[in-house]
């Protein structure tokens, strides 16, 4: 029994619009405000024309999994 056909059905039911919107938002974030997620977003964006449910989950994980992480630029502040 394979899980693959079930995932294929679910990915076909989803329209491309929500996934493309999410990828577009992540691309904006990665180039403007979050350079630390640039590689992960670029890898996920490769499949925006032919995505599967797992790709959508990866994109959501990038967005939610890094919400509490910050990137500090500069050195140690001296008081």
């Amino acid at each position: 029994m394979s899980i693959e056909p079930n995932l294929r059905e679910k990915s076909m039911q989803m329209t491309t619009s929500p996934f493309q919107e999410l990828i577009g938002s992540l691309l904006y974030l990665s180039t403007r405000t979050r350079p630390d997620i640039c590689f992960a977003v670029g890898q996920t964006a490769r499949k925006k024309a032919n995505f599967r449910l797992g790709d959508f989950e990866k994109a959501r994980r990038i967005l939610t999994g890094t919400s509490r992480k910050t990137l500090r630029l500069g050195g140690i502040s001296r008081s």
Side-chain angles (χ1 to χ4, degrees), residues 2 4-5 9 11 13 19 22 29-31 34-37 39 41 45 47 51 53 56 59 61-62 65-66 73-74:
S2 175
E4 190 66 30
E9 281 180 24
S11 65
Q13 290 173 355
F19 183 70
L22 179 57
L29 285 173
S30 70
T31 58
R34 298 289 310 272
D36 55 325
I37 63 171
F39 180 77
V41 172
K47 298 182 180 183
F51 71 95
L53 184 62
F56 191 75
R61 196 172 340 143
I62 293 169
T66 63
L73 302 176

Side-chain angles (χ1 to χ4, degrees), residues 18-56:
F19 183 70
Q20 289 177 347
E21 288 177 11
L22 179 57
I23 290 298
S25 297
L26 286 171
L27 284 169
Y28 176 80
L29 285 173
S30 70
T31 58
R32 302 288 181 200
T33 62
R34 298 289 310 272
D36 55 325
I37 63 171
C38 193
F39 180 77
V41 172
Q43 293 294 314
T44 307
R46 288 181 177 185
K47 298 182 180 183
K48 79 173 182 181
N50 188 17
F51 71 95
R52 295 176 185 235
L53 184 62
D55 299 321
F56 191 75

Side-chain angles (χ1 to χ4, degrees), residues 66-79:
T66 63
S67 64
R68 286 177 267 142
K69 303 214 185 269
T70 59
L71 179 65
R72 289 183 54 179
L73 302 176
I76 299 171
S77 66
R78 298 174 197 249
S79 301

